[in-house]
């Protein structure tokens, strides 16, 4: 199985900050990577697919990059609604696997 | 609007069975592959199962292989997860999700608690 490792596990930041979350795959997944946002008690929300393509309605302050085994999610200017947990997920090979999550919290 | 609604969760003893259902609406269900993903209390997301649009191709996570069965009824716009030989570690919120390249629409989840 492909292991997905996110860092950091927790990230404290302030409104207006630029933040980056990284995701590493244990083997190459080309660009078959998605990002999800989840708030407490809610279902995950799909943000980005194919590494860098934003789902419609996702604000342009979100961006994704990478290829192969190294990927990142960047939020250019944090807004209050962005404090949540973020997961990367590979869909190159079954079983699909998620990173362990990065909790973005208020500093 | 596009909607997925899970049902069937509850509290069961280890070794028992439970059947989850996911009712779909607002899109052409018969053309959509579907997945189940679970989340144990306080933990991250774990992919559980996949079924293609016709119900022919299926994949299961190793952790549930041989115990869980995924199926679908395109006439009823429903996908199901039959969970047998349940273990304490199967305790989680179970989400169904539609696949359009990735998991683009999720249900609100149904809670399964396995406890003696």
């Amino acid at each position: 199985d492909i292991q997905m490792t996110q860092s950091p596990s927790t990230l404290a930041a302030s409104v207006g900050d630029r933040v980056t979350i990284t995701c590493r795959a244990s083997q190459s997944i080309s660009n078959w990577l998605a990002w999800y946002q989840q708030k407490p008690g809610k279902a995950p929300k799909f943000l980005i697919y194919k590494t860098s393509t934003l789902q419609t309605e996702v604000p342009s302050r979100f961006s994704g990059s990478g290829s192969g085994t190294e990927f990142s999610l960047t939020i250019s200017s944090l807004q209050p609604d962005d404090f949540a947990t973020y997961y990367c997920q590979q869909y190159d090979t079954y079983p699909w696997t998620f990173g362990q999550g990065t909790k973005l919290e208020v500093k | 609007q596009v909607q997925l609604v899970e049902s069937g969760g509850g509290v069961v003893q280890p070794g028992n069975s439970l059947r989850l259902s996911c009712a779909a609406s607002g899109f052409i269900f018969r053309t959509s592959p579907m997945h189940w993903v679970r989340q144990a209390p306080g933990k991250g997301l774990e992919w559980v199962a996949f079924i293609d649009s016709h119900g022919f191709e299926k994949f299961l996570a190793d952790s549930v292989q041989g115990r869980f069965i995924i199926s679908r009824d395109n006439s009823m716009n429903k996908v199901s997860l039959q969970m047998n030989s349940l273990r304490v570690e199967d305790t989680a919120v179970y989400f169904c999700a539609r696949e359009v390249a990735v998991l683009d629409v999720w249900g609100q989840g149904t809670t399964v608690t396995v406890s003696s």
Side-chain angles (χ1 to χ4, degrees), chain B residues 58-74:
Chain B
K58 305 173 187 180
F59 294 110
L60 293 169
D62 289 347
S63 58
V64 305
Q65 187 76 245
R67 301 187 298 123
F68 289 13
I69 301 168
I70 187 171
S71 62
R72 66 189 294 156
D73 184 340
N74 285 346

Side-chain angles (χ1 to χ4, degrees), chain A residues 11-15 37-40 78-86 104-107:
Chain A
L11 179 57
S14 302
V15 172
Q37 176 193 69
Q38 187 181 32
K39 296 184 177 179
L78 270 175
Q79 298 302 301
D81 191 50
D82 300 337
F83 292 97
T85 299
Y86 293 85
L104 182 52
E105 59 184 29
V106 178
K107 183 184 285 184

Side-chain angles (χ1 to χ4, degrees), chain A residues 42-95:
Chain A
K42 300 293 187 181
K45 174 187 172 184
F46 154 54
L47 297 177
I48 291 174
Y49 69 102
K50 212 172 179 183
T51 297
S52 59
T53 304
L54 267 61
Q55 187 250 125
T56 55
E57 300 174 0
V58 172
S60 59
R61 63 181 180 271
F62 289 86
S63 64
S65 64
S67 68
T69 62
E70 300 282 339
F71 302 88
S72 64
L73 171 71
T74 296
I75 308 173
S76 61
S77 179
L78 270 175
Q79 298 302 301
D81 191 50
D82 300 337
F83 292 97
T85 299
Y86 293 85
Y87 294 92
C88 63
Q89 178 239 320
Q90 67 83 16
Y91 55 106
D92 176 77
T93 305
Y94 282 101

Side-chain angles (χ1 to χ4, degrees), chain B residues 62-103:
Chain B
D62 289 347
S63 58
V64 305
Q65 187 76 245
R67 301 187 298 123
F68 289 13
I69 301 168
I70 187 171
S71 62
R72 66 189 294 156
D73 184 340
N74 285 346
S75 68
M76 298 289 288
N77 288 355
K78 185 174 70 172
V79 59
S80 299
L81 188 68
Q82 176 67 41
M83 305 186 296
N84 301 322
S85 302
L86 282 162
R87 304 169 179 168
V88 170
E89 55 264 34
D90 295 319
T91 294
V93 175
Y94 285 74
F95 299 98
C96 68
R98 180 182 77 169
E99 178 191 326
V100 176
V102 292
L103 304 176

